[in-house]
Amino acid sequence: MTEIAVTGAAGRMGREVLAAAADRADIDVAFAVNRTPVDERIGGVVVESSDNFAELLDDYEPSVVVDFTGPESAVEYAADCADHGVALVTGTTGFDSDGLGALQAASESTAVLKASNFSRGVAALRLAVQEATAALPDADIELTETHHNAKRDAPSGTAKALLDDIEGVRDDLTDRVHGRAGEAPRTDDEIGVHARRAGDIAGEHEVLLGGSNETLSLTHRAGDRSIFAEGALDAAEWLAGREAGWYDFFEVIEG
Ligand code: NAD
């Protein structure tokens, strides 16, 4: 049984995590917090104010904190986790270099697993994109991601991970071009990046590789957010009890 705490409990992902945890025999929720208090039980759990987060860590001693909030708050939670020796799984996206540095600093004192996407399908997409990029070294590459209309960061964390993957294979692609307007012919060194926002779409990513007389399109569509919650709980179970360090979701999948 892995004891977890959940931050951002009243958010879209926090609710999914609590709902998924309620259905799993291997996970117990020690406590859940949200920045703004909510007068309801979510997944059977009382949601407390995040103001008391450090005290709650002392009182309940969870093994892992599962965080889906925003970059500023995730960094604060990471520091508290480091102080208390509690492992952190964060799915929060949109960190700047300072935020990433703060997470990495926390990983010197506790186990930290950060993933911009907890879907196993997206993990498979990333591997497929690396293979396809290597197999089609002259292809023009365009990436399109689509999310719900309340998403704050663009392009998505998953899109950035895919771009890093592509650039890791193709070092001639050095220019990320975010949308095009007006006179904007394509150059050989660019990857086009397009972020669409509409309705309540959970997340779609398409990588298009275009060559002469053939195109290859690799697409992942999340049916709903429960896949991310299940992946994050798998990561929490895997991370519990591990030594301080920086971990990623591929290690969870590989077991
Ligand atoms: P949301 O806006 O619905 O929820 C965020 C929640 O965090 C809100 O309830 C908000 O009140 C709370 N919050 C913010 N700051 C807080 C603080 N300081 N203390 C406590 N609670 C705080 O957003 P969401 O759709 O749930 O997404 C959250 C994050 O997770 C985003 O960065 C998003 O990109 C990311 N995300 C990641 C994955 C993945 O698989 N890694 C999947 C979906 C979303």
Side-chain angles (χ1 to χ4, degrees):
M1 177 73 81
T2 303
E3 289 270 321
I4 66 163
V6 176
T7 58
R12 274 174 288 265
M13 278 308 303
R15 286 172 185 275
E16 291 288 349
V17 169
L18 289 172
D23 286 342
R24 284 176 65 146
D26 57 339
I27 300 278
D28 186 48
V29 179
F31 69 89
V33 295
N34 202 63
R35 178 174 48 184
T36 45
V38 283
D39 191 18
E40 62 178 311
R41 292 173 86 90
I42 302 175
V45 176
V46 174
V47 177
E48 308 195 43
S49 164
S50 58
D51 294 347
N52 306 322
F53 183 66
E55 286 162 39
L56 290 166
L57 286 179
D58 275 334
D59 292 348
Y60 288 97
E61 299 182 336
S63 306
V64 187
V65 168
V66 177
D67 167 81
F68 286 90
T69 55
E72 299 83 10
S73 48
V75 162
E76 289 171 18
Y77 292 134
D80 285 334
C81 286
D83 285 348
H84 288 77
V86 176
L88 173 69
V89 167
T90 181
T92 299
T93 61
F95 294 98
D96 60 16
S97 55
D98 287 349
L100 276 180
L103 286 186
Q104 275 157 357
S107 75
E108 287 167 19
S109 307
T110 194
V112 175
L113 189 152
K114 177 188 170 308
S116 53
N117 199 302
F118 281 107
S119 146
R120 286 168 187 263
V122 163
L125 173 70
R126 290 184 59 183
L127 297 175
V129 164
Q130 289 171 49
E131 295 242 337
T133 302
L136 301 169
D138 300 321
D140 296 330
I141 303 183
E142 298 274 316
L143 187 155
T144 303
E145 56 98 337
T146 309
H147 285 85
H148 57 88
N149 57 22
K151 184 165 177 61
R152 294 169 65 128
D153 53 318
S156 68
T158 305
K160 288 181 186 166
L162 285 162
L163 291 166
D164 289 344
D165 291 341
I166 293 163
E167 289 164 357
V169 178
R170 287 272 304 269
D171 59 11
D172 58 316
L173 300 178
T174 54
D175 190 18
R176 298 180 182 184
V177 173
H178 297 271
R180 295 189 183 85
E183 179 75 13
R186 209 176 192 293
T187 57
D188 287 343
D189 62 351
E190 73 186 50
I191 307 174
V193 186
H194 311 278
R196 305 190 300 176
R197 297 289 175 265
D200 62 355
I201 296 165
E204 298 178 5
H205 293 86
E206 183 207 19
V207 176
L208 176 68
L209 299 100
S212 299
N213 302 317
E214 62 178 353
T215 57
L216 172 65
S217 169
L218 297 167
T219 302
H220 178 270
R221 291 191 185 87
D224 69 42
R225 292 180 182 86
S226 62
I227 54 162
F228 307 129
E230 293 291 351
L233 292 179
D234 291 344
E237 198 189 356
W238 181 88
L239 194 65
R242 294 201 183 255
E243 61 189 33
W246 186 257
Y247 299 91
D248 76 25
F249 190 51
F250 282 112
E251 294 170 273
V252 179
I253 291 175
E254 285 158 10

